[in-house]
Amino acid sequence: MQIRKPELKDRIEILHIHLRDVPTSEDLDLARLARATRGFTGADLACLVNDAAILAVRQKAKKVSMYHFEQAYDNKILGRVCKTSMEISDQELWATAVHEAGHALLHVYQEDATPLYKISIEPRGQTLGVTRFLPEIESHNSNYEEFFAAMVAALGGAVAEEMVCGVS
């Protein structure tokens, strides 16, 4: 028997349970956090709360904020920020910024694309940058237009690099 992963409303309730003894700031948006954690199990959500709390303590924050949750999420999904182990030239950093901007622009200017959530050029794990999107509503189906918009935006990074940096 396979246990299903929690739906949006379930993830909100699970987060409430794990946060009951955690001091949180007013900027914490549980609905947005729950939308971003689609596919997370209850244990994954518990770890996310714990990791965000640890980040807050390390930064000497009195309360856990949305920033701490976003950092904990990125650490879990993408890996930790590579500060010393990766040498990145200014040229590589510029190409990464152009690449991520290409993804973002093509997402923003398409009617059927998922809304833009975050762009980063901090090297994490195996990636030099990331452009994240966050649906406004949790859906189990996508239509042709949504898939097409996602494919166009996925190619936008390479197209932008080729146009701006001459990289093919």
Side-chain angles (χ1 to χ4, degrees):
M1 178 176 160
Q2 185 176 2
I3 298 174
R4 67 172 176 80
K5 293 189 176 167
E7 297 291 327
L8 178 65
K9 66 177 183 58
D10 301 324
R11 292 193 305 275
I12 292 171
E13 290 176 24
I14 292 167
L15 286 166
H16 271 295
I17 291 167
H18 292 300
L19 286 167
R20 73 180 159 233
D21 294 328
V22 177
T24 58
S25 67
E26 296 74 35
D27 76 333
L28 184 60
D29 185 345
L30 281 186
R32 186 172 79 178
L33 185 58
R35 284 196 333 267
T37 55
R38 183 174 186 183
F40 278 39
T41 65
D44 293 331
L45 294 169
C47 288
L48 184 69
V49 169
N50 188 52
D51 292 347
I54 289 169
L55 288 170
V57 167
R58 285 183 181 156
Q59 295 172 8
K60 297 182 179 21
K62 294 192 185 317
K63 295 181 177 183
V64 182
S65 70
M66 194 65 184
Y67 171 80
H68 299 116
F69 276 100
E70 289 172 356
Q71 292 300 308
Y73 176 92
D74 287 349
N75 288 345
K76 179 173 179 53
I77 299 301
L78 303 170
R80 300 206 182 277
V81 175
C82 304
K83 291 188 178 182
T84 57
S85 63
M86 192 181 290
E87 294 283 331
I88 300 170
S89 69
D90 288 343
Q91 184 178 356
E92 279 181 305
L93 194 59
W94 171 250
T96 301
V98 167
H99 182 98
E100 298 308 328
H103 291 311
L105 284 171
L106 287 176
H107 246 278
V108 168
Y109 286 108
Q110 293 185 89
E111 187 176 315
D112 295 308
T114 305
L116 180 64
Y117 178 62
K118 180 180 185 176
I119 302 172
S120 172
I121 57 170
E122 284 184 311
R124 288 177 171 272
Q126 298 296 309
T127 181
L128 295 177
V130 66
T131 302
R132 284 185 38 212
F133 311 94
L134 185 61
E136 292 172 345
I137 23 179
E138 190 162 304
S139 172
H140 299 286
N141 295 315
S142 295
N143 59 33
Y144 173 84
E145 290 79 13
E146 292 167 333
F147 277 122
F148 188 79
M151 287 191 308
V152 168
L155 294 170
V159 171
E161 273 191 82
E162 188 172 328
M163 290 174 67
V164 176
C165 305
V167 176
S168 56

